[in-house]
Amino acid sequence: MFRSRLTLLILALITLGVASAADAVEIGGLLLAQSSTIVRGAGFYLNLFKFIPVLLIYILWTRTTYWVDDDCKDLGNLKFETWNSIMLGTGLLGFAMVWLIPLYIVGLLLLLLLDFGPLFYYIVQRNATVPDDRKVLTAYHLGEVANSVMNKVGMRGIFNRSDDGMDKTGPPIVFMGKSQGKIDPTGVQKAEESQFYMSAKELVYDAVLRRATDIHLEPTEEQLSVRYRIDGILHAAEPFDRQTGTAVVNIFKVLSAMDISEKRKPQDGSFGAKLEGREIDFRVATSGSKSGEKLVMRILDNAASVAKIDEVGVRPKMAAEIRSLVTQPHGMFLCCGPTGAGKSTTLYACLREIDRFQRNIITVEDPIEYHVDGITQIEINTKAGQTFSTSLRSILRQDPDVIMIGEIRDQETATIACQAATTGHMVFSTVHANDTVTALFRLLDLGVEPFMIASALTAVLGQRLVRCLCETCKEPYKPKPEFLQKANLPVDKVDVFYRPPEEPEQVCPTCGGTGYQGRTGIFELLVLSEPMRDMIRENPSINAIKAEARKNGMIYLQEDGLRQVIQGKTSIKELLRVVK
């Protein structure tokens, strides 16, 4: 038997070209000589207890290698050629060690180290560049895997659940009812009964991770499109089919205590959520359309801290001037700009400059965007008949030092605010206007007397929000001299501007390929001088007031925006998008 096998081995070596005929015969002679001294009986010489672990490791290695390849291509920001080479090379080296090293345990340990060491290092690298819901081998991810296995065998998952027993499968976000900090069992439990409840959680979780401020659910004939407003720009997300989309809209309506049977009349409501210790409020508004019911949610993060004046983009000289204005004992400080320009954030930054422990500060807002200790905050409730004007009348009887009005919308509110400013109170408010001078005439259009505006108003701050360039991927370029001359910039002193990459080699993990990350403000400050007050009382004229403001050194929005462009914080294209 041995000799016949030896003959086949010699023929195989000659056929494969591994050895010549003479070498093959010599090898056979050596084996034959050894066989005369080593007596082997009949039997199976493969040790299954040692071979099966190696086989299982091989199967797992091939699966993980394929996963790394697919994951690199899916993320787009990791070089899959490099990782493929590392995974393949170390894996083959590990299997070679098993056969070459006489000690089986040592070879097996080296195999595990070489096969799965690079894998865990890759996971660490990719988890640092992806949102929390896409991270792997985390406690949450392992719990989700365990829940999936339990569900497949007919058991209910027990992992990723809160202390009170509420289901937390899916993204780690817990919906609450309208009461701040308190779970509404009826609304939440009713929403959890829907089979599409997980889709609603994933939608909100994804929006929060992507820093969205609004979620738009817009129906079409075939689907429900989803868009997030991120840094002031709407970005499309994965849409829902009509059945799933309708169910998701109904879930948010149930959480907001709305009537799900009413789909034509506009409705509004609110609900809360908890995400990793953060409390988030959602303001929900619906309206009927030709294709169905549209829903928009405003995301208000209660964990967001109130910024300082210096942190919102105000240049140092203007910041010092604003501090002196807002700390005066009386007067009215207005902040103007379009919706979403950050006016409320700026007013809260101004309130932060005031000692709220020695002065009585009361705010009237719709809704409350920041929760601040030491300040009395009142939220408008139009359904209950509580408006800005009615709230202001009651506030004036509570001995306030500082009053912040969320927005001046009508004549009555504007008149009461001016009266409060002239009777020893410091009033902060916002008004919708394109620039500071237009804001003065907006008050006149509301019906406020010119002499009252001239006596009450201290200053108007106009602002816009521009997106900041991503520090990771922004690229420099030389601006054209013609543009610099047109913008009244010195051609010899401005070397480069910055812009998003026009042809990126790969998707930037920091900004997600948009080229922008976060926003900052551009401002113009109009401080009323005595000649301006006389102009307002006698014959208000836009051109005359602008000329006087310019004489006093006011810098326009465009000029302040160019300062941000020169500093490399934003691009000229973004500035022209916001201010024309």
Side-chain angles (χ1 to χ4, degrees), residues 11 15 31 55 86 163 168 176-177 399 401 411 451 489:
L11 291 175
T15 304
L31 292 174
L55 180 61
I86 293 174
D163 296 336
K168 288 181 62 180
M176 302 182 297
D399 187 30
D401 296 307
Q411 178 183 3
F451 74 89
L489 296 175

Side-chain angles (χ1 to χ4, degrees), residues 155 211 223 323 382 435 533:
M155 301 173 61
R211 302 181 298 103
Q223 62 185 15
R323 286 192 187 94
T382 54
D435 53 48
R533 298 182 193 278

Side-chain angles (χ1 to χ4, degrees), residues 136-439:
V136 296
L137 292 188
T138 61
Y140 172 75
H141 175 252
L142 295 176
E144 288 297 286
V145 173
N147 285 336
S148 176
V149 174
M150 297 177 69
N151 292 334
K152 288 181 179 179
V153 298
M155 301 173 61
R156 187 178 182 186
I158 60 174
F159 298 95
N160 295 334
R161 299 175 68 85
S162 60
D163 296 336
D164 55 6
M166 289 193 62
D167 190 3
K168 288 181 62 180
T169 55
I173 186 169
V174 180
F175 289 143
M176 302 182 297
K178 296 182 65 174
S179 299
Q180 180 69 26
K182 296 181 181 179
I183 297 176
D184 181 7
T186 305
V188 176
Q189 290 175 6
K190 189 175 180 180
E192 283 185 342
E193 294 174 359
S194 172
Q195 61 177 326
F196 302 103
Y197 181 69
M198 194 65 61
S199 299
K201 292 181 67 175
E202 290 173 351
L203 172 69
V204 172
Y205 185 64
D206 183 51
V208 173
L209 288 183
R210 294 175 62 178
R211 302 181 298 103
T213 56
D214 298 90
I215 303 174
H216 291 246
L217 303 179
E218 302 163 332
T220 61
E221 296 296 334
E222 299 178 353
Q223 62 185 15
L224 184 77
S225 64
V226 180
R227 294 195 292 173
Y228 301 147
R229 188 174 293 279
I230 304 173
D231 293 334
I233 303 295
L234 285 173
H235 297 270
E238 187 70 23
F240 294 115
D241 59 77
R242 283 307 297 263
Q243 179 185 3
T244 306
T246 301
V248 168
V249 170
N250 287 336
I251 288 172
F252 292 132
K253 291 176 68 175
V254 168
L255 292 172
S256 305
M258 296 184 187
D259 183 5
I260 62 173
S261 62
E262 179 58 64
K263 299 183 181 298
R264 295 185 178 181
K265 293 182 180 179
Q267 299 185 71
D268 59 82
S270 63
F271 69 94
K274 282 187 176 181
L275 173 61
E276 300 174 351
R278 298 159 54 192
E279 290 189 358
I280 303 173
D281 284 339
F282 297 87
R283 307 295 175 180
V284 185
T286 65
S287 62
S289 67
K290 180 181 179 181
S291 301
E293 190 174 24
K294 176 179 177 178
L295 183 142
V296 178
M297 290 191 293
R298 169 64 61 87
I299 303 175
L300 303 173
D301 191 350
N302 295 331
S305 60
V306 178
K308 298 180 181 179
I309 288 290
D310 308 271
E311 297 173 352
V312 297
V314 180
R315 59 185 182 275
K317 184 178 179 181
M318 182 183 290
E321 194 171 4
I322 291 175
R323 286 192 187 94
S324 65
L325 291 170
V326 300
T327 53
Q328 293 180 0
H330 59 83
M332 185 163 67
F333 184 86
L334 288 182
C335 194
C336 70
T339 302
K343 301 185 294 296
S344 298
T345 302
T346 302
L347 289 185
Y348 268 103
C350 295
L351 289 180
R352 187 172 177 173
E353 302 295 331
I354 301 173
D355 186 354
R356 57 180 181 271
F357 298 104
Q358 293 189 2
R359 305 185 72 181
N360 182 20
I361 303 175
I362 304 177
T363 70
V364 187
E365 305 169 70
D366 183 24
I368 296 174
E369 297 189 16
Y370 297 93
H371 296 272
V372 183
D373 295 333
I375 294 179
T376 303
Q377 297 176 277
I378 301 173
E379 188 165 287
I380 294 300
N381 187 351
T382 54
K383 293 181 179 180
Q386 184 182 15
T387 62
F388 280 112
S389 57
T390 56
S391 298
L392 273 175
R393 293 184 184 278
S394 63
I395 285 173
L396 291 175
R397 293 190 291 269
Q398 296 178 13
D399 187 30
D401 296 307
V402 180
I403 303 171
M404 192 186 91
I405 307 168
E407 181 185 349
I408 293 179
R409 300 176 180 174
D410 51 52
Q411 178 183 3
E412 186 176 8
T413 304
T415 303
I416 297 175
C418 291
Q419 290 175 348
T422 55
T423 54
H425 306 88
M426 188 64 201
V427 180
F428 297 93
S429 188
T430 68
V431 64
H432 285 94
N434 291 328
D435 53 48
T436 53
V437 179
T438 309

Side-chain angles (χ1 to χ4, degrees), residues 93-111 114:
L93 181 60
F95 287 110
M97 291 295 102
V98 172
W99 303 110
L100 295 176
I101 296 179
L103 294 176
Y104 174 74
I105 296 298
V106 176
L108 190 66
L109 292 176
L110 284 175
L111 174 63
L114 291 171

Side-chain angles (χ1 to χ4, degrees), residues 28-41:
L30 292 173
L31 292 174
L32 185 60
Q34 291 181 4
S35 67
S36 62
T37 59
I38 301 174
V39 179
R40 296 180 182 272

